[in-house]
Amino acid sequence: MGILNPSALPFLALLGILILIYLRERWRKRIEVPALLLWLEVKEDTTRIRRFLPNLLFFAHALLLLLLIGGLLRPYRPVTVTETRGDRWIFVMDISASMQAREGRTRRFELALDQARQVVKALGPLDEAMLIGVAARPQLVSGFTTDHRQLLHLLETLRPLDAGTNLSLGVELALAQRDREGRRAKIHVFTDLPKSILGLPEEQLKELAYHRVGKSDDNLAIAALPLYQNPFQNYSQAQAYVLVRNYAYRPKGAVLTVSLNEKQIFRRDISLPAREVMSFSVKGFDGPGKLVARVEPEDALAVDNQAMAWLAERGQRRLILVSPVKALQEELERVSRSIPGLTLTVLTPETFSPTALKEQDIVLFHQFVPGAVVPANSLYVFPPPENPLFPVVSEAADLRILDWREGHEILRNLHYVEALPLKKARVLALPSWAQVLISSRTGSSEVPLALTGEKDGHRVVCLAFDLGKGNLTNSDNLTLLLLFLNTLRWLLPHDPAAPLLVSSGETFFLPEGVAPDSLRLTTPQGQERMVETDAVAIDQVGEYRLVGSRYHATLYANLFDDAESDIGRREDAEASAVQVQVGETHLPQELSHIVPEEFGRSLYYGAALLLFLEWLYALWRYRRASVS
């Protein structure tokens, strides 16, 4: 026995109120008399005028109150219930790119589907099953259900994606779902990967029913298509490299072609030994546009036989120097002359106006910070003590660099960051929108020497130290020159007409400030759909187009994934998959557990019955009094 609503216990205080009501009804009235002579002659009885003398009506009212409060408490009694349940199953389907590989005339994915259908059809009528699809990330297709026809339908709706696989994460999700509600589920994995790739302990591997499909290794793929063209180079100076890899365990021949705007500019008959790679250089382009590399004829896996890149036509870029002094002007003029496509414009703080900036400009503010918002990517060098953007706490001299963010694009190829010349620097308070790129330390706190971030939709870099005369072009300060050039490269705005290169299987996020309102997406297969969120799933190779009233972009999606292209994966210790007897019968399970059975409603019924009996009794007394 127990109660499910203990918050109703304070209502028991109503019994005390009921007693007070009955006491009040028994108080005697005070009556004034002219004399006590007669009362003195009467024998005295010891009568308590406030003594509580319950009657039948009081007990009826108290019982009615207790029944109502008892119903509010939601009382219950434990009852043992026996249920008949079937087994539980979890199906993990690999839907990555390698499942598109052909085994004769059938794809591996169809082979895995056939095996999954056999397992589903062999399930008992009470068996529950869950379906998980796994490519770059696991996706819960269906929770536990006994509707096996619906499960077969969901299996038919699955399609392999042009993406890598994270099968181990999918199996971990299945393991996490396995012991729900105290019922242990059996996990079936359908894939073409060897068991060892899961990286699970041997005990867990033995618990998996592992269905591995596919034996063919016939695949020649474009493993990479790097295009070397820095932001200041035109298409004629660019150079592309096509990396072709033979994933088969025998020599393979093919024809490699490279096209620019659908015009063939390169063709080579190639023959690669087993498991070897070969690189081909393509240069001397006569115009900008879409670059496509392709190997023919098609093999077992066609999704990696083509790759795309974009050859850009660089326009003239402006570097605008705004400084109250002329120390940097001569050095920046020498630097800009050595960079094709970059021109230098020098302004003073008095002549600078944000409205004169163009979309592709970079602004370098030296010892000056404007009060208005700058609609361009900006580099701030040695900001003055009083400025609205970077609060200056103090100054420091002879600092040593102690920490920096390795891997950031600005620090690329800077092997000796600590060699930067720091004669003096401002000690800045870190703004909320910025991150520290390079830092030092004083006796009390960290000193940010370089900051990066985005403000009002534009990239911002701040160098807290001064670029004194002779620092940039001095041969002893090569690290500082590389830092400056990398900063300019990072600040160069992206050409909105140039496609973005993405990897198939990733998610493309819309830029900050771009809403998906009225934005339409066209997939490589020509299908169109509305974009509802700021994230676009890239699950096929090819060209995507985003078109809206205020934003448009083109995406080139390639698949460069050795794990997916290597379709002939071999495994020594685990060469054979676990075989499951799909025809075996599974008897239903009888599970007993204790559940609370509430009986508060019967108390309400009892209270209603008591009220009805009291009404009948009162009606009987009324009629009896009328007759007499």
Side-chain angles (χ1 to χ4, degrees), residues 491-535:
L491 288 174
L492 274 176
H494 171 71
D495 183 1
L500 299 170
L501 299 180
V502 296
S503 296
S504 184
E506 293 182 351
T507 300
F508 174 74
F509 293 94
L510 298 179
E512 185 178 356
V514 176
D517 302 339
S518 69
L519 197 61
R520 300 187 66 86
L521 174 70
T522 304
T523 66
Q525 279 67 36
Q527 300 172 347
E528 287 191 4
R529 66 173 183 264
M530 297 298 297
V531 178
E532 299 178 352
T533 65
D534 61 349

mmCIF file of all heavy atoms in Angstrom, residues 491-535:
data_model
loop_
_atom_site.group_PDB
_atom_site.id
_atom_site.type_symbol
_atom_site.label_atom_id
_atom_site.label_comp_id
_atom_site.label_asym_id
_atom_site.label_seq_id
_atom_site.Cartn_x
_atom_site.Cartn_y
_atom_site.Cartn_z
ATOM 1 N N LEU A 491 42.291 37.652 -44.385
ATOM 2 C CA LEU A 491 41.330 38.751 -44.418
ATOM 3 C C LEU A 491 40.711 38.960 -45.797
ATOM 4 O O LEU A 491 39.711 39.680 -45.907
ATOM 5 C CB LEU A 491 41.999 40.055 -43.975
ATOM 6 C CG LEU A 491 42.337 40.164 -42.484
ATOM 7 C CD1 LEU A 491 43.114 41.441 -42.215
ATOM 8 C CD2 LEU A 491 41.075 40.125 -41.629
ATOM 9 N N LEU A 492 41.287 38.373 -46.833
ATOM 10 C CA LEU A 492 40.724 38.568 -48.171
ATOM 11 C C LEU A 492 39.297 38.023 -48.225
ATOM 12 O O LEU A 492 39.063 36.854 -47.926
ATOM 13 C CB LEU A 492 41.574 37.871 -49.219
ATOM 14 C CG LEU A 492 42.765 38.662 -49.762
ATOM 15 C CD1 LEU A 492 43.570 37.808 -50.710
ATOM 16 C CD2 LEU A 492 42.295 39.925 -50.475
ATOM 17 N N PRO A 493 38.320 38.838 -48.595
ATOM 18 C CA PRO A 493 36.936 38.349 -48.664
ATOM 19 C C PRO A 493 36.782 37.292 -49.756
ATOM 20 O O PRO A 493 37.456 37.333 -50.775
ATOM 21 C CB PRO A 493 36.121 39.609 -48.995
ATOM 22 C CG PRO A 493 37.033 40.763 -48.696
ATOM 23 C CD PRO A 493 38.432 40.266 -48.917
ATOM 24 N N HIS A 494 35.890 36.356 -49.501
ATOM 25 C CA HIS A 494 35.607 35.322 -50.496
ATOM 26 C C HIS A 494 34.855 35.923 -51.672
ATOM 27 O O HIS A 494 33.939 36.736 -51.503
ATOM 28 C CB HIS A 494 34.789 34.201 -49.863
ATOM 29 C CG HIS A 494 34.278 33.197 -50.847
ATOM 30 N ND1 HIS A 494 35.107 32.289 -51.481
ATOM 31 C CD2 HIS A 494 33.022 32.973 -51.328
ATOM 32 C CE1 HIS A 494 34.395 31.542 -52.292
ATOM 33 N NE2 HIS A 494 33.134 31.930 -52.224
ATOM 34 N N ASP A 495 35.261 35.536 -52.852
ATOM 35 C CA ASP A 495 34.581 35.986 -54.059
ATOM 36 C C ASP A 495 33.211 35.306 -54.116
ATOM 37 O O ASP A 495 33.117 34.076 -54.203
ATOM 38 C CB ASP A 495 35.401 35.618 -55.292
ATOM 39 C CG ASP A 495 34.782 36.138 -56.583
ATOM 40 O OD1 ASP A 495 33.728 36.808 -56.506
ATOM 41 O OD2 ASP A 495 35.355 35.885 -57.657
ATOM 42 N N PRO A 496 32.118 36.064 -54.050
ATOM 43 C CA PRO A 496 30.793 35.421 -54.027
ATOM 44 C C PRO A 496 30.480 34.631 -55.285
ATOM 45 O O PRO A 496 29.624 33.748 -55.277
ATOM 46 C CB PRO A 496 29.826 36.616 -53.859
ATOM 47 C CG PRO A 496 30.595 37.805 -54.312
ATOM 48 C CD PRO A 496 32.036 37.533 -53.986
ATOM 49 N N ALA A 497 31.174 34.926 -56.393
ATOM 50 C CA ALA A 497 30.915 34.186 -57.630
ATOM 51 C C ALA A 497 31.658 32.857 -57.673
ATOM 52 O O ALA A 497 31.354 32.008 -58.510
ATOM 53 C CB ALA A 497 31.313 35.030 -58.840
ATOM 54 N N ALA A 498 32.638 32.657 -56.799
ATOM 55 C CA ALA A 498 33.435 31.428 -56.810
ATOM 56 C C ALA A 498 32.753 30.344 -55.997
ATOM 57 O O ALA A 498 32.289 30.592 -54.873
ATOM 58 C CB ALA A 498 34.826 31.708 -56.243
ATOM 59 N N PRO A 499 32.642 29.116 -56.520
ATOM 60 C CA PRO A 499 32.040 28.028 -55.748
ATOM 61 C C PRO A 499 32.878 27.685 -54.525
ATOM 62 O O PRO A 499 34.092 27.900 -54.484
ATOM 63 C CB PRO A 499 32.014 26.859 -56.746
ATOM 64 C CG PRO A 499 32.137 27.497 -58.092
ATOM 65 C CD PRO A 499 32.983 28.712 -57.889
ATOM 66 N N LEU A 500 32.198 27.136 -53.527
ATOM 67 C CA LEU A 500 32.847 26.661 -52.313
ATOM 68 C C LEU A 500 33.082 25.165 -52.432
ATOM 69 O O LEU A 500 32.201 24.419 -52.874
ATOM 70 C CB LEU A 500 31.980 26.960 -51.092
ATOM 71 C CG LEU A 500 31.681 28.438 -50.817
ATOM 72 C CD1 LEU A 500 30.618 28.569 -49.731
ATOM 73 C CD2 LEU A 500 32.954 29.158 -50.396
ATOM 74 N N LEU A 501 34.275 24.715 -52.034
ATOM 75 C CA LEU A 501 34.606 23.294 -52.074
ATOM 76 C C LEU A 501 34.275 22.669 -50.729
ATOM 77 O O LEU A 501 34.728 23.146 -49.679
ATOM 78 C CB LEU A 501 36.091 23.098 -52.400
ATOM 79 C CG LEU A 501 36.565 23.635 -53.757
ATOM 80 C CD1 LEU A 501 38.052 23.358 -53.941
ATOM 81 C CD2 LEU A 501 35.762 23.018 -54.900
ATOM 82 N N VAL A 502 33.479 21.614 -50.745
ATOM 83 C CA VAL A 502 33.082 20.918 -49.529
ATOM 84 C C VAL A 502 33.297 19.428 -49.746
ATOM 85 O O VAL A 502 33.434 18.957 -50.872
ATOM 86 C CB VAL A 502 31.611 21.198 -49.157
ATOM 87 C CG1 VAL A 502 31.400 22.667 -48.832
ATOM 88 C CG2 VAL A 502 30.674 20.773 -50.280
ATOM 89 N N SER A 503 33.311 18.691 -48.648
ATOM 90 C CA SER A 503 33.431 17.235 -48.701
ATOM 91 C C SER A 503 32.058 16.617 -48.542
ATOM 92 O O SER A 503 31.266 17.036 -47.682
ATOM 93 C CB SER A 503 34.367 16.730 -47.594
ATOM 94 O OG SER A 503 35.680 17.220 -47.790
ATOM 95 N N SER A 504 31.764 15.651 -49.373
ATOM 96 C CA SER A 504 30.482 14.960 -49.264
ATOM 97 C C SER A 504 30.388 14.261 -47.915
ATOM 98 O O SER A 504 31.330 13.614 -47.464
ATOM 99 C CB SER A 504 30.348 13.946 -50.394
ATOM 100 O OG SER A 504 29.087 13.340 -50.356
ATOM 101 N N GLY A 505 29.226 14.413 -47.277
ATOM 102 C CA GLY A 505 29.023 13.871 -45.942
ATOM 103 C C GLY A 505 29.076 14.920 -44.861
ATOM 104 O O GLY A 505 28.693 14.655 -43.723
ATOM 105 N N GLU A 506 29.532 16.128 -45.222
ATOM 106 C CA GLU A 506 29.593 17.203 -44.243
ATOM 107 C C GLU A 506 28.284 17.997 -44.254
ATOM 108 O O GLU A 506 27.381 17.753 -45.037
ATOM 109 C CB GLU A 506 30.770 18.140 -44.546
ATOM 110 C CG GLU A 506 32.130 17.494 -44.368
ATOM 111 C CD GLU A 506 33.258 18.483 -44.626
ATOM 112 O OE1 GLU A 506 32.963 19.608 -45.098
ATOM 113 O OE2 GLU A 506 34.425 18.133 -44.341
ATOM 114 N N THR A 507 28.215 18.976 -43.343
ATOM 115 C CA THR A 507 27.075 19.879 -43.261
ATOM 116 C C THR A 507 27.558 21.289 -43.570
ATOM 117 O O THR A 507 28.535 21.759 -42.988
ATOM 118 C CB THR A 507 26.424 19.837 -41.873
ATOM 119 O OG1 THR A 507 25.976 18.516 -41.603
ATOM 120 C CG2 THR A 507 25.241 20.784 -41.792
ATOM 121 N N PHE A 508 26.871 21.950 -44.514
ATOM 122 C CA PHE A 508 27.209 23.321 -44.867
ATOM 123 C C PHE A 508 26.290 24.261 -44.103
ATOM 124 O O PHE A 508 25.068 24.133 -44.139
ATOM 125 C CB PHE A 508 27.041 23.546 -46.368
ATOM 126 C CG PHE A 508 27.234 24.978 -46.798
ATOM 127 C CD1 PHE A 508 28.491 25.534 -46.849
ATOM 128 C CD2 PHE A 508 26.137 25.776 -47.128
ATOM 129 C CE1 PHE A 508 28.677 26.860 -47.236
ATOM 130 C CE2 PHE A 508 26.304 27.085 -47.513
ATOM 131 C CZ PHE A 508 27.581 27.636 -47.561
ATOM 132 N N PHE A 509 26.897 25.200 -43.366
ATOM 133 C CA PHE A 509 26.128 26.157 -42.585
ATOM 134 C C PHE A 509 26.089 27.497 -43.316
ATOM 135 O O PHE A 509 27.117 27.977 -43.815
ATOM 136 C CB PHE A 509 26.746 26.339 -41.192
ATOM 137 C CG PHE A 509 26.663 25.112 -40.332
ATOM 138 C CD1 PHE A 509 27.709 24.201 -40.283
ATOM 139 C CD2 PHE A 509 25.523 24.854 -39.582
ATOM 140 C CE1 PHE A 509 27.636 23.060 -39.510
ATOM 141 C CE2 PHE A 509 25.435 23.722 -38.797
ATOM 142 C CZ PHE A 509 26.493 22.821 -38.759
ATOM 143 N N LEU A 510 24.927 28.076 -43.378
ATOM 144 C CA LEU A 510 24.776 29.375 -44.012
ATOM 145 C C LEU A 510 25.591 30.427 -43.262
ATOM 146 O O LEU A 510 25.747 30.335 -42.039
ATOM 147 C CB LEU A 510 23.301 29.790 -44.035
ATOM 148 C CG LEU A 510 22.352 28.888 -44.815
ATOM 149 C CD1 LEU A 510 20.925 29.411 -44.713
ATOM 150 C CD2 LEU A 510 22.770 28.793 -46.272
ATOM 151 N N PRO A 511 26.138 31.407 -43.964
ATOM 152 C CA PRO A 511 26.910 32.449 -43.278
ATOM 153 C C PRO A 511 26.055 33.193 -42.255
ATOM 154 O O PRO A 511 24.828 33.216 -42.324
ATOM 155 C CB PRO A 511 27.345 33.376 -44.432
ATOM 156 C CG PRO A 511 27.230 32.549 -45.659
ATOM 157 C CD PRO A 511 26.121 31.583 -45.416
ATOM 158 N N GLU A 512 26.741 33.792 -41.298
ATOM 159 C CA GLU A 512 26.053 34.547 -40.259
ATOM 160 C C GLU A 512 25.263 35.700 -40.891
ATOM 161 O O GLU A 512 25.750 36.430 -41.740
ATOM 162 C CB GLU A 512 27.067 35.093 -39.258
ATOM 163 C CG GLU A 512 26.438 35.803 -38.070
ATOM 164 C CD GLU A 512 27.476 36.286 -37.084
ATOM 165 O OE1 GLU A 512 28.674 35.996 -37.301
ATOM 166 O OE2 GLU A 512 27.105 36.950 -36.107
ATOM 167 N N GLY A 513 24.028 35.830 -40.448
ATOM 168 C CA GLY A 513 23.174 36.889 -40.973
ATOM 169 C C GLY A 513 22.340 36.484 -42.168
ATOM 170 O O GLY A 513 21.484 37.263 -42.606
ATOM 171 N N VAL A 514 22.567 35.279 -42.716
ATOM 172 C CA VAL A 514 21.785 34.803 -43.864
ATOM 173 C C VAL A 514 20.666 33.907 -43.348
ATOM 174 O O VAL A 514 20.920 32.883 -42.722
ATOM 175 C CB VAL A 514 22.666 34.030 -44.866
ATOM 176 C CG1 VAL A 514 21.814 33.465 -45.983
ATOM 177 C CG2 VAL A 514 23.753 34.932 -45.419
ATOM 178 N N ALA A 515 19.435 34.321 -43.584
ATOM 179 C CA ALA A 515 18.275 33.543 -43.158
ATOM 180 C C ALA A 515 17.835 32.616 -44.288
ATOM 181 O O ALA A 515 17.974 32.947 -45.463
ATOM 182 C CB ALA A 515 17.130 34.473 -42.769
ATOM 183 N N PRO A 516 17.295 31.432 -43.941
ATOM 184 C CA PRO A 516 16.871 30.491 -44.992
ATOM 185 C C PRO A 516 15.549 30.862 -45.660
ATOM 186 O O PRO A 516 15.011 30.059 -46.424
ATOM 187 C CB PRO A 516 16.743 29.171 -44.218
ATOM 188 C CG PRO A 516 16.431 29.575 -42.822
ATOM 189 C CD PRO A 516 17.162 30.867 -42.596
ATOM 190 N N ASP A 517 15.039 32.061 -45.376
ATOM 191 C CA ASP A 517 13.768 32.462 -45.970
ATOM 192 C C ASP A 517 13.866 32.475 -47.498
ATOM 193 O O ASP A 517 14.775 33.097 -48.058
ATOM 194 C CB ASP A 517 13.361 33.854 -45.476
ATOM 195 C CG ASP A 517 13.239 33.889 -43.961
ATOM 196 O OD1 ASP A 517 13.069 32.816 -43.379
ATOM 197 O OD2 ASP A 517 13.328 34.984 -43.376
ATOM 198 N N SER A 518 12.930 31.803 -48.149
ATOM 199 C CA SER A 518 12.811 31.736 -49.618
ATOM 200 C C SER A 518 14.099 31.259 -50.291
ATOM 201 O O SER A 518 14.363 31.589 -51.437
ATOM 202 C CB SER A 518 12.417 33.109 -50.191
ATOM 203 O OG SER A 518 13.473 34.050 -50.047
ATOM 204 N N LEU A 519 14.917 30.476 -49.584
ATOM 205 C CA LEU A 519 16.156 29.950 -50.153
ATOM 206 C C LEU A 519 15.894 28.549 -50.695
ATOM 207 O O LEU A 519 15.402 27.677 -49.980
ATOM 208 C CB LEU A 519 17.251 29.915 -49.081
ATOM 209 C CG LEU A 519 18.702 29.786 -49.540
ATOM 210 C CD1 LEU A 519 19.086 30.976 -50.409
ATOM 211 C CD2 LEU A 519 19.633 29.685 -48.350
ATOM 212 N N ARG A 520 16.240 28.332 -51.980
ATOM 213 C CA ARG A 520 16.008 27.050 -52.632
ATOM 214 C C ARG A 520 17.344 26.367 -52.909
ATOM 215 O O ARG A 520 18.321 27.013 -53.294
ATOM 216 C CB ARG A 520 15.237 27.226 -53.934
ATOM 217 C CG ARG A 520 13.866 27.865 -53.758
ATOM 218 C CD ARG A 520 13.080 27.857 -55.051
ATOM 219 N NE ARG A 520 12.757 26.491 -55.460
ATOM 220 C CZ ARG A 520 11.681 25.838 -55.030
ATOM 221 N NH1 ARG A 520 10.851 26.416 -54.185
ATOM 222 N NH2 ARG A 520 11.445 24.614 -55.455
ATOM 223 N N LEU A 521 17.340 25.034 -52.720
ATOM 224 C CA LEU A 521 18.532 24.218 -52.941
ATOM 225 C C LEU A 521 18.294 23.290 -54.118
ATOM 226 O O LEU A 521 17.289 22.568 -54.170
ATOM 227 C CB LEU A 521 18.862 23.409 -51.684
ATOM 228 C CG LEU A 521 20.005 22.395 -51.820
ATOM 229 C CD1 LEU A 521 21.331 23.118 -51.958
ATOM 230 C CD2 LEU A 521 20.030 21.451 -50.626
ATOM 231 N N THR A 522 19.236 23.298 -55.063
ATOM 232 C CA THR A 522 19.207 22.364 -56.189
ATOM 233 C C THR A 522 20.334 21.353 -56.001
ATOM 234 O O THR A 522 21.504 21.731 -55.897
ATOM 235 C CB THR A 522 19.376 23.101 -57.529
ATOM 236 O OG1 THR A 522 18.359 24.102 -57.647
ATOM 237 C CG2 THR A 522 19.268 22.134 -58.686
ATOM 238 N N THR A 523 20.004 20.071 -55.945
ATOM 239 C CA THR A 523 20.972 19.011 -55.694
ATOM 240 C C THR A 523 21.652 18.604 -57.001
ATOM 241 O O THR A 523 21.210 18.982 -58.096
ATOM 242 C CB THR A 523 20.272 17.801 -55.067
ATOM 243 O OG1 THR A 523 19.362 17.240 -56.027
ATOM 244 C CG2 THR A 523 19.494 18.212 -53.817
ATOM 245 N N PRO A 524 22.735 17.812 -56.932
ATOM 246 C CA PRO A 524 23.394 17.348 -58.169
ATOM 247 C C PRO A 524 22.477 16.563 -59.092
ATOM 248 O O PRO A 524 22.715 16.516 -60.301
ATOM 249 C CB PRO A 524 24.539 16.477 -57.635
ATOM 250 C CG PRO A 524 24.832 17.020 -56.281
ATOM 251 C CD PRO A 524 23.518 17.456 -55.723
ATOM 252 N N GLN A 525 21.409 15.934 -58.554
ATOM 253 C CA GLN A 525 20.480 15.180 -59.397
ATOM 254 C C GLN A 525 19.378 16.068 -59.976
ATOM 255 O O GLN A 525 18.457 15.578 -60.632
ATOM 256 C CB GLN A 525 19.833 14.045 -58.587
ATOM 257 C CG GLN A 525 20.711 12.811 -58.458
ATOM 258 C CD GLN A 525 21.953 13.080 -57.625
ATOM 259 O OE1 GLN A 525 21.896 13.844 -56.658
ATOM 260 N NE2 GLN A 525 23.063 12.452 -57.972
ATOM 261 N N GLY A 526 19.445 17.388 -59.734
ATOM 262 C CA GLY A 526 18.460 18.302 -60.289
ATOM 263 C C GLY A 526 17.219 18.473 -59.455
ATOM 264 O O GLY A 526 16.285 19.182 -59.865
ATOM 265 N N GLN A 527 17.150 17.860 -58.280
ATOM 266 C CA GLN A 527 15.986 18.007 -57.416
ATOM 267 C C GLN A 527 16.046 19.355 -56.696
ATOM 268 O O GLN A 527 17.112 19.792 -56.264
ATOM 269 C CB GLN A 527 15.915 16.868 -56.393
ATOM 270 C CG GLN A 527 15.827 15.492 -57.034
ATOM 271 C CD GLN A 527 15.947 14.382 -56.010
ATOM 272 O OE1 GLN A 527 16.333 14.608 -54.866
ATOM 273 N NE2 GLN A 527 15.611 13.165 -56.423
ATOM 274 N N GLU A 528 14.891 19.982 -56.540
ATOM 275 C CA GLU A 528 14.802 21.269 -55.853
ATOM 276 C C GLU A 528 13.978 21.125 -54.580
ATOM 277 O O GLU A 528 12.984 20.404 -54.555
ATOM 278 C CB GLU A 528 14.156 22.329 -56.756
ATOM 279 C CG GLU A 528 15.043 22.807 -57.877
ATOM 280 C CD GLU A 528 14.481 24.040 -58.573
ATOM 281 O OE1 GLU A 528 13.432 24.547 -58.096
ATOM 282 O OE2 GLU A 528 15.061 24.484 -59.569
ATOM 283 N N ARG A 529 14.432 21.826 -53.536
ATOM 284 C CA ARG A 529 13.674 21.853 -52.287
ATOM 285 C C ARG A 529 13.980 23.141 -51.543
ATOM 286 O O ARG A 529 15.011 23.768 -51.756
ATOM 287 C CB ARG A 529 14.006 20.639 -51.418
ATOM 288 C CG ARG A 529 15.433 20.585 -50.895
ATOM 289 C CD ARG A 529 15.593 19.440 -49.912
ATOM 290 N NE ARG A 529 16.916 19.376 -49.325
ATOM 291 C CZ ARG A 529 17.897 18.626 -49.745
ATOM 292 N NH1 ARG A 529 17.718 17.864 -50.815
ATOM 293 N NH2 ARG A 529 19.077 18.618 -49.144
ATOM 294 N N MET A 530 13.061 23.514 -50.670
ATOM 295 C CA MET A 530 13.237 24.718 -49.871
ATOM 296 C C MET A 530 14.180 24.424 -48.708
ATOM 297 O O MET A 530 14.171 23.333 -48.132
ATOM 298 C CB MET A 530 11.891 25.207 -49.333
ATOM 299 C CG MET A 530 10.896 25.613 -50.408
ATOM 300 S SD MET A 530 11.473 26.997 -51.407
ATOM 301 C CE MET A 530 11.584 28.284 -50.163
ATOM 302 N N VAL A 531 14.997 25.404 -48.359
ATOM 303 C CA VAL A 531 15.903 25.290 -47.215
ATOM 304 C C VAL A 531 15.165 25.829 -45.997
ATOM 305 O O VAL A 531 14.739 26.991 -45.982
ATOM 306 C CB VAL A 531 17.205 26.070 -47.464
ATOM 307 C CG1 VAL A 531 18.111 25.985 -46.250
ATOM 308 C CG2 VAL A 531 17.911 25.522 -48.698
ATOM 309 N N GLU A 532 15.013 24.992 -44.971
ATOM 310 C CA GLU A 532 14.231 25.380 -43.794
ATOM 311 C C GLU A 532 15.088 25.776 -42.610
ATOM 312 O O GLU A 532 14.605 26.448 -41.705
ATOM 313 C CB GLU A 532 13.287 24.230 -43.400
ATOM 314 C CG GLU A 532 12.292 23.862 -44.497
ATOM 315 C CD GLU A 532 11.414 22.697 -44.113
ATOM 316 O OE1 GLU A 532 11.680 22.090 -43.053
ATOM 317 O OE2 GLU A 532 10.466 22.398 -44.864
ATOM 318 N N THR A 533 16.345 25.337 -42.568
ATOM 319 C CA THR A 533 17.233 25.688 -41.468
ATOM 320 C C THR A 533 18.509 26.299 -42.036
ATOM 321 O O THR A 533 18.688 26.398 -43.252
ATOM 322 C CB THR A 533 17.581 24.449 -40.622
ATOM 323 O OG1 THR A 533 18.340 23.516 -41.426
ATOM 324 C CG2 THR A 533 16.314 23.756 -40.141
ATOM 325 N N ASP A 534 19.415 26.699 -41.128
ATOM 326 C CA ASP A 534 20.676 27.292 -41.572
ATOM 327 C C ASP A 534 21.740 26.235 -41.844
ATOM 328 O O ASP A 534 22.908 26.572 -42.038
ATOM 329 C CB ASP A 534 21.193 28.288 -40.529
ATOM 330 C CG ASP A 534 21.471 27.634 -39.187
ATOM 331 O OD1 ASP A 534 21.068 26.470 -39.000
ATOM 332 O OD2 ASP A 534 22.073 28.286 -38.327
ATOM 333 N N ALA A 535 21.374 24.953 -41.859
ATOM 334 C CA ALA A 535 22.311 23.861 -42.120
ATOM 335 C C ALA A 535 21.822 23.048 -43.311
ATOM 336 O O ALA A 535 20.652 22.665 -43.376
ATOM 337 C CB ALA A 535 22.463 22.960 -40.891
#
